[in-house]
Amino acid sequence: PPKQATLGKFFGLQ
Amino acid sequence: MLEARLEQASILKKVVDAIKDLVQDCNFDCNDSGIALQAMDNSHVALVSMMLKSDTFSPFRCDRNIALGINLNSFQKVLRCAQNEDILTLKADDSPDVVSLVFESSEQDRISEYDIKLMDIDQEHLGIPDTEYAATITMPSGEFQRICRDLSALSESVAIEAEKNAVKFVCNGDIGNGAISLRNHSSVEKPEQNVNIELSEPVALTFSLKYLVNFCKASGLSGSVKLCLSNEVPLLVEYELASNSYLRFYLAPKIGD
């Protein structure tokens, strides 16, 4: 089954 | 100092009600453009982004950048003391220990004053890139809420599949499967039921329904909701408020290995 990604994978820390 | 007066307390009540199960302690960042909030849930899967522009308030005054670190549970307790139609004024000093809330009844001569103790919150701030989304779906917020609620009874996840003129919400669960399709729909008589699908390329993404059901607690803030999708990026769920203010939720997708 597909796995839950986290937002850090897409959005950079500021 | 900050002084921000809202004609109706209900806006802030609804915003806090909508996000408090997702995020617990948040900084409300105040500056001359308004009051903003960005916070991630503990699992870093969902993000709340709120912007209440200065025009939402009348008057609005904030000379310096002030971060109000507030526990949302406490905030909700105090906001529940306000009637929906009360005039609400937020006040804080430049280096505040507390934020003051004043509720004024427009019909009665009643003034209620509350303080909430502030906390120091060291929050991770994410940079969200400007994205041209492949699909933008605008639909009644109540309809989206019902779809998420209905499908969450069957499955933990929903696949959102947008193609030309149609969007499909599909789930596969242990007891069976479900699918709801919506097509472009526009009515002059009942514009609140309009569905608009703008698409540059087909999109199919899978999301956790638990989070979507949570986002839908914001349905009372706006009659319509906007879903923005591109393959392999987080979903944006946006509730537009008056004066270009908004409450946005981002949700990371589930990705196959």
Side-chain angles (χ1 to χ4, degrees), chain B residues 1-64:
Chain B
M1 68 170 281
L2 166 76
E3 187 166 347
R5 183 176 173 274
L6 269 178
E7 279 297 331
Q8 286 203 318
S10 59
I11 300 170
L12 199 56
K13 281 168 76 112
K14 285 179 186 171
V15 167
V16 172
D17 285 348
I19 66 176
K20 80 157 250 307
D21 293 328
L22 213 56
V23 290
Q24 285 75 47
D25 301 325
C26 311
N27 280 322
F28 287 75
D29 296 309
C30 311
N31 60 37
D32 59 1
S33 64
I35 300 177
L37 172 154
Q38 194 206 82
M40 262 192 294
D41 81 304
N42 284 332
S43 58
H44 289 198
V45 168
L47 182 142
V48 180
S49 171
M50 177 207 80
M51 179 72 214
L52 297 178
K53 296 263 172 76
S54 56
D55 288 348
T56 304
F57 304 91
S58 170
F60 183 86
R61 185 186 153 201
C62 186
D63 330 300
R64 306 180 180 207

Side-chain angles (χ1 to χ4, degrees), chain B residues 41-177:
Chain B
D41 81 304
N42 284 332
S43 58
H44 289 198
V45 168
L47 182 142
V48 180
S49 171
M50 177 207 80
M51 179 72 214
L52 297 178
K53 296 263 172 76
S54 56
D55 288 348
T56 304
F57 304 91
S58 170
F60 183 86
R61 185 186 153 201
C62 186
D63 330 300
R64 306 180 180 207
N65 293 2
I66 305 172
L68 303 174
I70 304 179
N71 172 273
L72 291 186
N73 212 19
S74 311
F75 206 4
Q76 189 187 41
K77 282 181 188 167
V78 170
L79 286 170
R80 279 190 175 153
C81 304
Q83 307 285 311
N84 280 337
E85 298 76 24
D86 279 357
I87 297 163
L88 183 158
T89 306
L90 290 167
K91 289 182 193 172
D93 297 334
D94 282 344
S95 310
D97 297 319
V98 296
V99 58
S100 305
L101 289 93
V102 182
F103 310 140
E104 294 170 74
S105 162
S106 44
E107 288 175 6
Q108 299 162 268
D109 290 327
R110 187 192 68 243
I111 296 178
S112 318
E113 297 176 86
Y114 294 88
D115 282 342
I116 303 172
K117 291 176 190 164
L118 297 177
M119 27 194 324
D120 273 326
I121 299 169
D122 193 16
Q123 223 160 33
E124 284 182 326
H125 208 82
L126 292 184
I128 301 165
D130 273 333
T131 307
E132 289 278 332
Y133 286 96
T136 302
I137 299 142
T138 310
M139 62 188 286
S141 56
E143 179 80 35
F144 181 56
Q145 184 173 38
R146 228 190 66 166
I147 290 171
C148 293
R149 220 184 260 161
D150 289 352
L151 296 186
S152 69
L154 273 75
S155 174
E156 286 182 1
S157 308
V158 59
I160 305 180
E161 301 168 5
E163 53 189 54
K164 202 166 183 294
N165 297 327
V167 58
K168 202 167 171 183
F169 300 84
V170 185
C171 81
N172 303 302
D174 291 338
I175 62 159
N177 307 320

Side-chain angles (χ1 to χ4, degrees), chain B residues 133-138 162-163 165 184 196-201 226-227 229:
Chain B
Y133 286 96
T136 302
I137 299 142
T138 310
E163 53 189 54
N165 297 327
N184 263 326
N196 184 47
I197 300 157
E198 285 171 38
L199 192 85
S200 60
E201 59 172 320
K226 202 159 81 179
L227 312 179
L229 302 112

